[in-house]
């Protein structure tokens, strides 16, 4: 029986995937898994029982990923589950950036008298804008969201240029062939009228758009950031707007310094805040966490490699260890010395850590537990699990 601890309001349809035969929700102080949305876990004391954390969203900056890795806790996210919600908001804000729709709507509310319609008609020219058709959009980051933005912007009649040196094969297939691929970010900055950023936050992407990048942009350019606030250097944007180096900034991150500026549109982090996105993220997070706990298979982890193997043997060992030479020999020898036959074995590594799954043709639980203890005691081993095949597991 696995207990799942939840933070934040997780959509019930997602939690329903944890069947009552194998799971409980928030019933103990020793959970096997955690599922959360925005709760910050950097000061959270993880119980030794925690095997995995599933973030119902794409970003994991609220989870201490490095600490989890060192403790053998697998961290999952849900890439793409909220992509459509963010894409729709970005498209809406592209439209808002060229048409003063909000200002016009607010102004109409100030009208009084029986001739309201005539007043609105007479003054509407002050809210005239421009059109997106024919304008150039630069998309930095062609992941799930960036690819969708690029495709839909093209359908609106924009000329779209994308830049992502690490675009995946799956994403490449999903991007319209009419989206031009830039060879450098500088090319996007210098040639596009609108630039939208869709990359994950890391040490390499922190302040990806700063003073130097802003100076390369067109003076009439509009910058949009719906990915992570720290990707853009806030003070640099404020100064660039004041000096006329760019035209407008639109963001989903309410930094106090950005408020009360006519050239900045700030939203209250609405990107993934739709009913559909919350449900999709909850379902994907629950499904991934459930599969890992019951089979040991890893998919969509941000700190360990993808490792999946059909579970056909009576028992399975899953082993998190450091990525050093001779670990597989050490593991297999330890099992063989206890006269346990290995059915199948798979190993994958990611940076300094690795994950190994060993299926064993043995039903004697005493021998199995002894083997697990022997492996756990070995050098460079971080965590060993023994999983019993419950058969007919469905996802």
């Amino acid at each position: 029986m696995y207990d799942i601890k939840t933070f934040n309001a997780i959509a019930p349809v997602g939690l329903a995937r944890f069947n009552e035969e194998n799971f409980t929700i928030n019933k103990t102080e020793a959970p096997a898994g955690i599922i959360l949305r925005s709760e910050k876990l950097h000061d959270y004391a993880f119980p030794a029982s925690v095997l995995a954390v599933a973030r119902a969203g794409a970003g994991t900056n609220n989870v201490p990923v490095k600490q989890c890795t060192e403790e053998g806790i697998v961290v999952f996210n849900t890439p793409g589950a909220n992509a459509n919600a963010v894409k729709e908001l970005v498209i809406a804000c592209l439209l808002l950036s060229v048409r003063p729709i909000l200002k016009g709507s607010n102004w109409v509310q100030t009208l009084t008298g029986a001739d309201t319609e005539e007043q609105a008609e007479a003054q509407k020219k002050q809210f005239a804008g421009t059109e997106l058709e024919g304008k150039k959009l630069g998309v930095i980051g062609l992941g799930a969201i960036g690819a969708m933005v690029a495709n839909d912007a093209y359908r609106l009649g924009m000329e779209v240029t994308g830049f992502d040196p690490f675009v995946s094969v799956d994403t490449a297939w999903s991007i319209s062939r009419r989206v031009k691929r830039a060879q450098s970010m500088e090319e996007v900055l210098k040639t596009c009228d609108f630039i939208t950023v869709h990359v994950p936050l890391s040490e390499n992407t922190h302040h990806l758009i700063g003073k130097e990048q802003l100076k390369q942009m067109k003076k009439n350019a509009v910058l949009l950031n719906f990915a992570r606030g720290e990707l853009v250097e806030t003070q640099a944007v404020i100064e660039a707007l004041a000096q006329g180096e760019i035209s407008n900034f639109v963001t989903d991150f309410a930094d106090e310094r950005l408020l009360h500026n006519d050239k900045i549109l700030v939203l209250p982090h609405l990107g993934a805040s739709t009913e559909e996105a919350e449900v999709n993220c909850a379902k994907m997070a629950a499904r991934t966490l459930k599969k890992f706990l019951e089979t040991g298979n890893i998919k969509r982890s941000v700190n360990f490699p993808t490792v999946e193997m059909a579970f056909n043997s009576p028992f399975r060992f899953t082993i998190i260890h450091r990525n050093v030479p001779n670990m597989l020999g050490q593991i297999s020898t330890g099992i063989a010395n206890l006269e346990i036959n290995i059915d199948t074995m798979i190993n994958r590594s990611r940076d300094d850590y690795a994950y190994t799954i060993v299926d064993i043709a043995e039903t004697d639980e005493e021998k199995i537990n002894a083997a697990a203890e022997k492996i756990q005691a070995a050098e460079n081993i971080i965590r060993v699990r023994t999983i019993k095949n419950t058969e007919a597991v469905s996802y």
Side-chain angles (χ1 to χ4, degrees):
M1 183 69 72
Y2 301 103
D3 188 55
I4 305 298
K5 182 176 180 60
T6 66
F7 289 96
N8 315 116
I10 306 300
V13 68
L15 296 180
R17 292 181 176 268
F18 295 110
N19 52 292
E20 295 181 356
E21 293 81 7
N22 297 326
F23 295 90
T24 56
I25 306 294
N26 295 319
K27 293 296 185 182
T28 75
E29 296 299 319
I34 293 173
I35 185 168
L36 76 160
R37 290 172 60 200
S38 59
E39 181 76 13
K40 295 181 179 180
L41 298 186
H42 291 279
D43 295 325
Y44 177 69
F46 288 91
S49 59
V50 175
L51 302 171
V53 174
R55 165 62 163 65
T60 55
N61 53 309
N62 58 323
V63 179
V65 176
K66 183 177 180 181
Q67 175 191 337
C68 287
T69 305
E70 293 170 349
E71 295 181 16
I73 299 172
V74 182
V75 180
F76 299 100
N77 67 346
T78 58
N82 59 10
N84 188 70
V86 179
K87 179 263 297 185
E88 288 187 358
L89 189 60
V90 172
I91 295 297
C93 286
L94 281 170
L95 292 165
L96 289 174
S97 71
V98 293
R99 303 289 295 273
I101 297 169
L102 296 178
K103 289 182 179 179
S105 176
N106 291 334
W107 175 79
V108 168
Q109 298 298 321
T110 68
L111 299 180
T112 59
D115 62 341
T116 296
E117 185 174 350
E118 288 76 10
Q119 292 181 60
E121 188 67 26
Q123 298 296 324
K124 68 180 182 181
K125 288 185 178 180
Q126 64 181 305
F127 304 108
T130 58
E131 298 181 12
L132 290 177
E133 186 176 14
K135 305 298 192 306
K136 295 183 178 180
L137 172 67
V139 182
I140 299 175
L142 295 169
I145 297 171
M148 294 177 76
V149 170
N151 288 342
D152 279 18
Y154 169 77
R155 295 185 184 106
L156 289 175
M158 301 187 77
E159 295 181 28
V160 184
T161 300
F163 172 70
D164 190 336
F166 306 109
V167 63
S168 68
V169 174
D170 289 342
T171 300
W173 278 107
S174 71
I175 299 174
S176 169
R177 59 186 176 84
R178 296 178 178 83
V179 173
K180 178 184 176 183
R181 185 172 182 185
Q183 297 304 309
S184 67
M185 191 169 76
E186 182 180 6
E187 178 184 343
V188 174
L189 297 174
K190 289 184 174 181
T191 62
C192 294
D193 305 304
F194 302 83
I195 295 170
T196 181
V197 183
H198 298 285
V199 299
L201 179 63
S202 67
E203 292 182 3
N204 295 328
T205 60
H206 185 266
H207 286 179
L208 180 71
I209 304 295
K211 290 184 179 180
E212 181 181 342
Q213 291 73 30
L214 290 162
K215 288 182 182 298
Q216 296 176 36
M217 294 169 61
K218 292 182 176 182
K219 292 187 181 298
N220 66 340
V222 176
L223 175 64
L224 301 95
N225 177 24
F226 286 79
R228 284 290 176 268
E230 296 86 349
L231 294 171
V232 175
E233 188 177 352
T234 299
Q235 192 57 42
V237 168
I238 293 171
E239 293 173 5
L241 288 167
Q243 296 166 11
E245 293 177 351
I246 63 172
S247 174
N248 294 95
F249 180 48
V250 186
T251 185
D252 207 21
F253 305 98
D255 188 313
E256 183 181 5
R257 293 170 292 173
L258 298 173
L259 305 181
H260 313 298
N261 189 320
D262 290 341
K263 295 183 178 180
I264 301 175
L265 174 61
V266 184
L267 301 180
H269 203 188
L270 297 176
S273 297
T274 65
E275 293 181 10
E276 294 88 346
E278 291 182 10
V279 167
N280 290 340
C281 287
K283 288 166 65 176
M284 183 183 289
R287 183 169 60 245
T288 302
L289 182 56
K290 179 177 186 287
K291 186 174 184 178
F292 171 72
L293 292 175
E294 291 186 332
T295 72
N297 286 337
I298 294 179
K299 187 176 182 180
R300 303 187 191 94
S301 171
V302 300
N303 61 340
F304 285 99
T306 296
V307 186
E308 295 185 278
M309 186 169 73
F311 193 0
N312 297 317
S313 299
F315 284 90
R316 164 174 286 184
F317 292 138
T318 65
I319 306 160
I320 294 175
H321 55 88
R322 301 193 182 280
N323 186 21
V324 296
N326 198 38
M327 285 304 301
L328 293 184
Q330 184 175 299
I331 292 168
S332 58
T333 298
I335 295 173
N337 286 343
L338 291 172
E339 298 182 348
I340 295 175
N341 290 327
I342 295 175
D343 266 352
T344 316
M345 188 173 185
I346 187 172
N347 167 269
R348 295 288 184 271
S349 63
R350 182 169 180 171
D351 300 325
D352 295 330
Y353 296 87
Y355 188 72
T356 299
I357 297 177
V358 183
D359 282 359
I360 52 177
E362 178 62 63
T363 57
D364 186 334
E365 294 197 32
E366 285 190 15
K367 291 177 67 175
I368 291 168
N369 292 334
E373 291 177 7
K374 188 175 184 65
I375 298 170
Q376 183 69 70
E379 188 177 3
N380 294 310
I381 297 293
I382 298 171
R383 169 168 266 166
V384 178
R385 288 181 64 204
T386 301
I387 307 175
K388 187 175 183 178
N389 192 342
T390 57
E391 302 180 351
V393 177
S394 60
Y395 303 97

